[in-house]
Structures are given as structure tokens and as C-alpha cells.
Amino acid sequence: MTQLDHALVATAQGSMWCAHRYGCEVYRVGFAPSPWEWTPWVYATDGRFTGRWDDPDGVWRTLYVGASRLACYLEVLAYARPSAQVIADLDEIVVDDEDAAAFPTVEPGRVPRSWCEPRMTAHGALTGWFAVPGHPETLATLRVGFRSAAIRHGLDDLDGAAIRDGRPRALTQAISKWINTLGGPDGCPITGVEFDSRHGDGLRLWAVYERPGDPVVSPHVTALDQVPVAPDDGDLVQAMRLLGLEWDDT
């Protein structure tokens, strides 16, 4: 029997488009020695994580994975991109020479090579049913329940651009909280969210939901292999070029 690769799920607000992934090849950039494990709660801010599809109430966690190493590197390094406003603000700060020597800081757009040391790139397989918030069917449903919230958060509308950009976080996290309560086409709780990276077309990402009783690694993920992050990794080099980043060797 042929397995379905997509289906519509009926909700109280309308239909939600879901995609089925069975043994889908995925990657993750995580911390050694166990990059596939849920991020420990100790790293949450006030008991909550700040990712696009994280739980706003801090009850469950998400595991972010990508269809390529490049997609993963772009996501985890985006924080270091040089910002014109930040650079201008820093130029206004007068730093004492002694302080500069005692407390050196990394300039915007530069990443210390030590960033690589605790991290690994992991390769695995992903299985489950995922809600696709950017699909036209799902977007129409989300507008019913979340358009007013989008406007309150300063957006003109709830459309594909709002979903892809992921700002404000309060909006996408509220959507994720709702999706987390839904069942998939197989009658089991939805596995997570499938979405596109804001860094360009063809960079697919997933947020896998933690469920009560889950082990330290999601049962929807099969770990295949993992290697330490190397500064000369071709995908890392490409991601840094696209983000306008350079290594800081000071």
C-alpha cells in the first residue's frame, strides 16, 4: 500500500495541511557529545526557550533540524550577522584602552574559532506527520484564529511572509502552542512543524515536539552519524560567506 505524503486535517478553525516524512534525511548542529538530545532546561530563559516554534508556556521543548547542513549553519549563526545599527551604536561607545585589553569583545560579523569546539554536525532520519503553516490551506485557517493577534503585534496581516520571518516570536509561538494540541492524519499527536528558512528558498526546516514520556532523544529521530564541527567544513564556509561573517583569530 502506498503511504500518503500529505493530508488535510480538520480543526475547529479550518483545515491544516500536513506533510508525512518517513525516514527523511535530516541534519542538526548541536552540542557534543549528544547533539540529538533535547536542549536542557537549564539553558532556557526564565523557563522558556525563544525559538520560532517553542512553547510560550515552557512546558515542552522542540528539536530543530534541517534538510541540509547549510540550512542548519545559517540558522545557528544568524545571530552573529553584522547589523548596521549595532555597528553605529558601538562606534559611539568610548572604551578605555585598559578595559579593551582586559575585556576584549568580538566585533560584529566576526565569530571566534572556539565556536566550533563544543559543537557537532549530526546526520539522521526523521519520521512523522508535520503541520505546514506556510501552506495556503493552513494559512487560511491560521488567519481565522490568529490574524487579530498578528495585527496586535504590529503586522499588517497574517500571511506567508509573517510565518517565514518568524517575528514577532510571540505570534509564531502562540500558533505552535495551538498546533501542538492537534492530532495528525494518523490519529496520533502531530509530530511538529515543517517550515522554510528565512534565509532563502529550498532550505527546509523542522521543529519536532517533545511529548510526555519521550526519551532524551525524540522517538521520531533516528541518529545515523555525527562529527565535530570543523572550521573548514564546506557548508560552514558557505554559510559564513552568505551571512557576511569572518573568523576572529584574536
Side-chain angles (χ1 to χ4, degrees), residues 33-152:
S34 304
W36 289 112
E37 291 187 5
W38 306 105
T39 302
W41 282 108
V42 68
Y43 295 109
T45 302
D46 296 327
R48 295 169 177 80
F49 290 104
T50 59
R52 190 190 312 189
W53 305 106
D54 285 333
D55 178 18
D57 297 329
V59 176
W60 40 267
R61 292 171 286 188
T62 55
L63 184 80
Y64 291 93
V65 302
S68 66
R69 280 191 296 267
L70 175 61
C72 296
Y73 280 131
L74 287 170
E75 290 294 317
V76 299
L77 283 170
Y79 78 93
R81 283 181 297 182
S83 162
Q85 182 60 52
V86 170
I87 293 173
D89 291 343
L90 289 175
D91 286 343
E92 295 295 322
I93 299 174
V94 178
V95 180
D96 180 86
D97 289 342
E98 186 174 348
D99 285 341
F103 306 102
T105 58
V106 177
E107 297 178 9
R110 300 183 69 84
V111 180
R113 288 184 187 269
S114 59
W115 181 89
C116 299
E117 293 174 4
R119 292 175 170 84
M120 307 187 80
T121 57
H123 172 220
L126 181 67
T127 296
W129 280 99
F130 294 86
V132 186
H135 190 277
E137 292 282 357
T138 311
L139 271 176
T141 296
L142 293 178
R143 289 187 81 251
V144 174
F146 295 95
R147 183 172 183 268
S148 59
I151 293 173
R152 286 198 305 272

Side-chain angles (χ1 to χ4, degrees), residues 21 24-25 27 65-72 74-75 164 194-206 235 238 242:
R21 303 303 171 198
C24 178
E25 189 174 50
Y27 298 86
V65 302
S68 66
R69 280 191 296 267
L70 175 61
C72 296
L74 287 170
E75 290 294 317
R164 187 162 184 172
E194 179 175 300
F195 60 106
D196 291 326
S197 170
R198 65 193 186 282
H199 297 294
D201 294 341
L203 299 171
R204 180 171 292 169
L205 302 166
W206 291 268
D235 291 305
Q238 182 181 4
L242 293 173

